[in-house]
Amino acid sequence: MTAVTLAAAPALGPLLARGALRSPFKRPYPQADFPRTRLVLPGLRVDVAGLAAYERVCGFAAGTADAEDALPVTYPHVLGFPLAMRLMSGRDFPLPLLGLVHTSIEIVRHTDLPASGTYELTVHVDGLAPHRRGTEATVVTGLRSGGDLVWESSSTYLARHRTEGATTPGAPSDDTVLPTVAEWRLAGDVGRRYGAATGDRNPIHLHPFTARLFGFPRAVAHGMWTVARCLAAHGTPGAAVVRARFRAPVLLPGTVAYGADGTGRFSLRGPGGRLHLSGEVLPLSGTVRS
């Protein structure tokens, strides 16, 4: 794998546009080649004002971030997303960006991450796999401090297309109904506020009109917002493993029920009990990896 060092994080807007323009020409299949590049962004410092905006929209500690705070467990995903988009919008990435669905994420945080820290960020595509509904790509993001791996994530993204023959079995489904802890009324501008805080202004999240262009009746919440909102309520130990599966989009505005059972499991359900998100938080045993 070839390492490419970046001087700064790329702007998301042009990458989303590039990926959209190239999407009609992509022909996804599990055996397709994919970029063998690891993007590296050294000397990364967190913008405290941007972090505070993220915390406000996601419900973390009232959004009053300062340099002494620890980063929310989901925030490094936001930092790495522009690098992931650079890879996934490239000519050599075989899946079309339009219609690509974020299906799961696993996060491993080895220690608390101070907002005042200096980090090295890396992102690469780990591979493609057959899925019963198409082809799934795995994108890995890592965060290092002083040479140690302090945070890492693995996200899967699904491109739907006709499939033939056997496919790799998916993760076991756990649809257990967890006790409702809180009900949240979500405003119609949640997607716009999250997009302003993160730069992720995918049109399906912004307005009913732009969402309808892609087959949604209304704007839908960002999947990573739903995870962050649940974890803000749930809490996460300094060293932890977080796993989440995105099950169905959350339409905006709307009402959802956050559930948890005290064992680390959490969920988000809509009217009629429709499951939008399921996940778990587990303590991590071990030491920081180098």
Side-chain angles (χ1 to χ4, degrees):
M1 186 171 289
T2 303
V4 174
T5 300
L6 305 179
L12 266 175
L15 295 177
L16 291 171
R18 182 178 77 171
L21 291 172
R22 287 177 172 167
S23 289
F25 305 100
K26 301 294 181 78
R27 297 292 180 267
Y29 62 98
Q31 292 76 35
D33 198 11
F34 57 89
R36 313 288 174 147
T37 302
R38 176 183 282 106
L39 298 181
V40 181
L41 180 60
L44 175 67
R45 301 295 299 271
V46 173
D47 174 66
V48 175
L51 172 59
Y54 175 84
E55 290 180 338
R56 280 193 297 271
V57 72
C58 296
F60 286 106
T64 55
D66 60 40
E68 302 307 315
D69 285 344
L71 300 179
V73 67
T74 48
Y75 196 66
H77 174 87
V78 173
L79 300 175
F81 193 61
L83 279 67
M85 284 297 101
R86 173 164 163 167
L87 292 174
M88 292 194 286
S89 66
R91 199 182 305 275
D92 55 350
F93 185 72
L95 309 186
L97 198 59
L98 282 180
L100 202 62
V101 179
H102 194 181
T103 50
S104 74
I105 186 167
E106 177 174 298
I107 296 170
V108 179
R109 182 171 66 183
H110 297 275
T111 185
D112 280 328
L113 310 175
S116 58
T118 301
Y119 301 99
E120 179 186 84
L121 184 67
T122 63
V123 178
H124 70 276
V125 179
D126 199 45
L128 304 179
H131 185 279
R132 61 187 178 87
R133 293 184 176 177
T135 299
E136 207 166 49
T138 299
V139 178
V140 174
T141 301
L143 201 66
R144 291 181 179 271
S145 176
D148 292 326
L149 183 66
V150 292
W151 184 99
E152 57 190 323
S153 75
S154 178
S155 282
T156 55
Y157 296 89
L158 172 66
R160 293 190 178 102
H161 59 84
R162 181 174 296 179
T163 61
E164 296 179 2
T167 61
T168 301
S173 177
D174 182 2
D175 295 342
T176 304
V177 178
L178 303 179
T180 297
V181 176
E183 284 195 353
W184 299 327
R185 295 182 183 274
L186 310 182
D189 67 347
V190 166
R192 294 191 292 276
R193 291 191 289 120
Y194 185 87
T198 64
D200 184 1
R201 293 182 172 89
N202 185 319
I204 67 172
H205 304 303
L206 302 182
H207 297 281
F209 173 73
T210 53
R212 282 195 291 269
L213 296 176
F214 296 92
F216 296 97
R218 304 196 300 276
V220 300
H222 294 73
M224 285 305 298
W225 178 86
T226 64
V227 174
R229 184 66 187 88
C230 287
L231 293 174
H234 187 281
T236 311
V241 178
V242 175
R243 300 186 183 97
R245 295 180 64 204
F246 305 104
R247 312 295 289 272
V250 175
L251 297 177
L252 302 171
T255 300
V256 291
Y258 161 68
D261 65 358
T263 69
R265 294 188 301 174
F266 62 89
S267 67
L268 203 62
R269 291 183 180 269
R274 186 185 193 195
L275 183 60
H276 295 296
L277 172 73
S278 60
E280 63 178 346
V281 178
L282 302 171
L284 178 67
S285 58
T287 58
V288 174
R289 288 170 54 187
S290 59

